[in-house]
Amino acid sequence: MAKLGKRASAARAAFAGKDDISVDEAVALVKDNAKAKFDETVEISMNLGVDPRHADQMVRGVVSLPNGTGKDVRVAVFARGPKAEEAQAAGADIVGAEDLMEIVQSGKIDFDRCIATPDMMPIVGRLGKVLGPRNLMPNPKVGTVTMDVAQAVKDAKGGQVQFKVEKAGVIHAGIGKASFDKDKLKQNVMAFVDAVAKAKPAGSKGSYMKKIFLSSTMGPGVSINVDSATGNEPTA
């Protein structure tokens, strides 16, 4: 078994015995122990009581984090004519139609978010096997199939985060950077959890939010008390 370095050992020691703590404590713990040489991403993972193999238990949505993600998001837009010009003016990194389809088919995916106007979906639909597994397929439910491409680009660039439950009932996302101050990270955590709570599907039975964890890119994870994250803590 590989020996842990000093930084990893110190982080594990700091996290030892910490479990089911408040959002404030978790944010402080993760932030204070994110000591890599780069600005680590603070990540949230949620274990939900759903089985996404059933259509009525699928959880997906989008949330605009109040303090952004701290990440430079590259946006691709499938559009033609005036809509393509609108996308470019709004700051889209890549804009195209058949030419963009060919680029994606070649395996070059140099973007983090994909937006399309409705008339482009016959073209984009051919890319399902490429974009789908990367969670990049445009979808009207999360606002990435739209005629208002300018607003969609601005939202993507401004800290909007998409989420979709995976096979094991887990959702995870980056909700900020370790360099953010603690209040901003807490606000982002609360906003993300609230969005997932509001996306509870009709087919969900029993406990919906089972566990919530917070971590940084290179650090250990810590579990957050669900009531603390949902704002349901009992008052004194």
Side-chain angles (χ1 to χ4, degrees), residues 16-231:
K18 303 290 176 65
D19 187 49
D20 200 36
I21 61 179
S22 70
V23 175
D24 289 286
E25 292 173 300
V27 165
L29 187 63
V30 169
K31 179 177 168 63
D32 292 345
N33 287 279
K35 297 179 180 178
K37 293 180 180 180
F38 61 93
D39 192 6
E40 297 182 51
T41 297
V42 176
E43 302 171 350
I44 190 169
S45 296
M46 302 177 68
N47 186 2
L48 305 179
V50 298
D51 184 349
R53 291 176 298 179
H54 301 288
D56 65 346
Q57 294 188 48
M58 174 55 66
V59 180
R60 74 182 306 160
V62 63
V63 56
S64 292
L65 298 179
N67 302 297
T69 63
K71 180 182 178 181
D72 182 17
V73 178
R74 288 184 58 81
V75 179
V77 178
F78 282 88
R80 288 194 181 98
K83 289 300 175 182
E85 294 173 6
E86 286 179 25
Q88 289 175 329
D93 299 278
I94 310 167
V95 181
E98 285 85 359
D99 55 336
L100 180 52
M101 178 187 72
E102 291 175 1
I103 291 172
V104 174
Q105 285 178 328
S106 72
K108 186 178 180 181
I109 300 178
D110 189 23
F111 51 86
D112 309 294
R113 184 73 61 86
C114 187
I115 296 164
T117 54
D119 59 299
M120 288 286 100
M121 289 311 291
I123 291 175
V124 179
R126 303 179 203 173
L127 304 172
K129 290 183 179 180
V130 181
L131 298 177
R134 294 172 172 81
N135 200 26
L136 289 172
M137 193 67 181
N139 189 308
K141 292 182 179 179
V142 293
T144 49
V145 177
T146 177
M147 289 300 289
D148 194 355
V149 290
Q151 187 61 51
V153 170
K154 291 175 183 176
D155 287 342
K157 292 279 189 179
Q160 190 183 70
V161 174
Q162 294 181 16
F163 57 86
K164 181 181 178 182
V165 69
E166 298 175 354
K167 290 181 180 179
V170 174
I171 279 178
H172 61 84
I175 52 87
K177 293 290 185 178
S179 59
F180 285 18
D181 67 41
K182 294 173 184 177
D183 284 342
K184 288 185 177 181
L185 283 173
K186 179 183 178 180
Q187 290 167 9
N188 280 2
V189 168
M190 301 294 279
F192 188 87
V193 172
D194 182 60
V196 174
K198 290 177 178 176
K200 180 179 179 179
S204 174
K205 306 297 181 185
S207 177
Y208 176 53
M209 289 190 185
K210 291 186 172 182
K211 291 183 179 180
I212 303 174
F213 292 89
L214 204 66
S215 64
S216 64
T217 305
M218 303 296 291
V222 62
S223 62
I224 297 175
N225 179 274
V226 174
D227 287 338
S228 171
T230 55

